[in-house]
Amino acid sequence: MKTAFVILFYINAISTVWAQSNIIELPFEKIEGYGPFVNGYIIPSWEDSSKVNEWTNTYIKLKGLPRNWQQLKQGRILIDNFQYVFQNAQSGKLSKEFYEDLQKNWNWTPDPKTLSVRPIQCYVYVITGLDNSGKRLAMLDSNNNLDFSDEQAFEPSNAADVNSLNTIHEISYELFYKNKIKSFKTNLGIWKTEDGVRCSFPSYLVANYITDGSPYQIAVVSSNFTNPAFFNTTAIVLNDTTANIKMTDKFSKKLFPTLMSKEGEYFKISQSYYKYIGVDLVKNVLQIQPANKYDSLYSTQVGYRAPLFKNKDFFENKDISLLDLRGKYVLIDFWGTWCLPCRQELPYLKEAYNKTDRSLIVFLGVVSHDTPETLKKYVEKNQIEWPQIISDSLNNLVDLYKIKSYPATVLIDPNGKILVKNLRGTNLVNVLTKLQKK
């Protein structure tokens, strides 16, 4: 037994060293603009002090606001939502109850090692209003000194000109990155709407990689162009035109960043698979890792084997093994009784459940941030018939499937591969009933 333990320890140690040592770091170039990608946008969080809400105490009194503008309003553009919430909670500007609700809704456990106790400028302010002629103007606090007296007003471009760089502005901000507060600069694109502005961060990263004698380009987009911090990034191999067809908008012919490989997921270069690790802003490299040839490539990506689990049914205390469900379609619904959109999806789930055969399609609920008592009461009251598993610190099912928002669904085919994700409403009912007829 002792010998077996030593051998197992040795194998695990070798595997760990292998995993750490074979990470490939590729220097990247930052490209301005949206390139071949469909861009998302954000709407500033407008601050209206006349309306009291949970955020009111976080509003900042800005200096140097223009006095001759009509319908003047100020809004913050958050660079790091988690840092912003954390520092305002620490300073007492957010209530304990609201802070805890945000953690639950975001599936977030604050890690003090990655957050600055000292408040930092993880945001930038924008103001907008109408001048004397009725023209909509905007100003950005580009140097982040909370004073607009040293800024220039400009007319944002129209929404139709979103891909133009006519109104691109450089801004400054701070991040708590690798235990240090660091200052950054980036470009912000801004365009006008009827009652305000929309924004995005028009830049992406490109790195070159040569394998099997051929050059490849790997592109990285940060949060669908809605954040410049490159925390939640997606990557794609631009040369792989065949695979990229599934990620291309048929009208604009541009790629959807939301369909690209997330951090921890895989993509294929030439004949080999690689795991996309992420971006290191200190080293200015993006990191990839060759997939171990013994790796089964379990991933949360569509087309890959779904991560396996074996957990207890909350009500019957029987084991539910994903592997044992091979040969059937499996719909996993990640939800919580506290989540209003989840509760709104319940009628569609029940309709799909009643229209399908359990010998063909299995339903599983994975419940997060709920007590057993609350779950039991809700399930019985609403007559939910399919099995439920509570995601907790032991099974970490929510983390295993990289769930960031609720509700979320994952549909797995009879071979154990992920067929489609985030089916909702009538679309969920239609897809499942069509599978029933195959």
Side-chain angles (χ1 to χ4, degrees), residues 33 37 80 115 309 342:
F37 304 103
D80 187 344
L115 297 163
F309 59 83
C342 300

Side-chain angles (χ1 to χ4, degrees), residues 135-249:
K135 181 188 299 183
R136 179 164 297 282
L137 299 179
M139 294 175 71
L140 281 165
D141 184 24
S142 59
N143 57 7
N144 222 326
N145 66 351
L146 306 179
D147 188 344
F148 282 83
S149 63
D150 55 0
E151 303 292 349
Q152 295 292 320
F154 60 91
E155 183 180 7
S157 61
N158 295 316
D161 302 324
V162 63
N163 289 305
S164 74
L165 299 180
N166 294 335
T167 55
I168 302 298
H169 299 262
E170 187 179 73
I171 60 168
S172 301
Y173 64 95
E174 293 178 326
L175 291 176
F176 189 67
Y177 191 74
K178 295 196 172 182
N179 297 317
K180 292 182 179 179
I181 298 174
K182 294 184 176 294
S183 298
F184 294 90
K185 292 183 182 294
T186 193
N187 284 336
L188 176 73
I190 184 167
W191 63 97
K192 61 185 175 184
T193 60
E194 289 185 5
D195 60 347
V197 294
R198 292 178 179 176
C199 311
S200 62
F201 296 91
S203 62
Y204 60 101
L205 310 178
V206 171
N208 296 304
Y209 181 58
I210 297 176
T211 184
D212 297 332
S214 300
Y216 292 86
Q217 280 196 324
I218 304 170
V220 172
V221 174
S222 177
S223 301
N224 199 23
F225 295 101
T226 63
N227 190 290
F230 287 91
F231 288 154
N232 296 310
T233 60
T234 53
I236 192 170
V237 181
L238 293 176
N239 313 55
D240 194 351
T241 54
T242 302
N244 295 351
I245 290 176
K246 297 179 180 178
M247 307 179 197
T248 303
D249 177 51

Side-chain angles (χ1 to χ4, degrees), residues 34 55 130 198 221 232 287 298 307 319 341 350 352 361 372 380 393 401 424 429:
Y34 301 107
W55 298 100
L130 306 178
R198 292 178 179 176
V221 174
N232 296 310
Q287 299 173 323
Y298 288 96
D319 283 334
K350 294 179 77 170
I361 303 175
E380 291 176 348
S393 58
Y401 274 78
R424 297 181 68 172
V429 177

Side-chain angles (χ1 to χ4, degrees), residues 71-184:
Q71 300 179 23
L72 175 67
K73 58 181 181 179
Q74 69 180 53
R76 64 183 181 276
I77 302 167
L78 292 180
I79 308 297
D80 187 344
N81 298 40
F82 299 115
Q83 174 63 42
Y84 184 79
V85 167
F86 178 76
Q87 66 190 37
N88 279 290
Q90 293 296 305
S91 64
K93 294 180 180 179
L94 293 178
S95 69
K96 180 182 178 181
E97 294 75 18
F98 185 57
Y99 184 43
E100 291 175 348
D101 283 343
L102 289 174
Q103 293 176 50
K104 181 187 294 184
N105 292 336
W106 293 354
N107 189 34
W108 170 51
T109 301
D111 182 359
K113 295 179 181 179
T114 63
L115 297 163
S116 171
V117 176
R118 197 196 94 183
I120 64 175
Q121 291 168 304
C122 54
Y123 51 80
V124 64
Y125 269 91
V126 59
I127 60 173
T128 181
L130 306 178
D131 67 6
N132 293 331
S133 67
K135 181 188 299 183
R136 179 164 297 282
L137 299 179
M139 294 175 71
L140 281 165
D141 184 24
S142 59
N143 57 7
N144 222 326
N145 66 351
L146 306 179
D147 188 344
F148 282 83
S149 63
D150 55 0
E151 303 292 349
Q152 295 292 320
F154 60 91
E155 183 180 7
S157 61
N158 295 316
D161 302 324
V162 63
N163 289 305
S164 74
L165 299 180
N166 294 335
T167 55
I168 302 298
H169 299 262
E170 187 179 73
I171 60 168
S172 301
Y173 64 95
E174 293 178 326
L175 291 176
F176 189 67
Y177 191 74
K178 295 196 172 182
N179 297 317
K180 292 182 179 179
I181 298 174
K182 294 184 176 294
S183 298
F184 294 90

Side-chain angles (χ1 to χ4, degrees), residues 354-409:
N354 292 329
K355 288 183 175 180
T356 53
D357 187 341
R358 300 292 72 76
S359 66
L360 299 174
I361 303 175
V362 174
F363 283 55
L364 292 178
V366 175
V367 185
S368 179
H369 301 295
D370 261 313
T371 64
E373 296 77 16
T374 303
L375 175 60
K376 184 176 186 297
K377 183 178 179 180
Y378 187 86
V379 168
E380 291 176 348
K381 178 181 178 182
N382 290 276
Q383 299 180 331
I384 300 175
E385 299 181 43
W386 51 91
Q388 303 293 325
I389 300 172
I390 292 183
S391 176
D392 54 28
S393 58
L394 296 178
N395 59 41
N396 289 316
L397 286 180
V398 167
D399 292 335
L400 182 66
Y401 274 78
K402 303 183 187 301
I403 303 301
K404 301 296 183 183
S405 61
Y406 297 90
T409 59

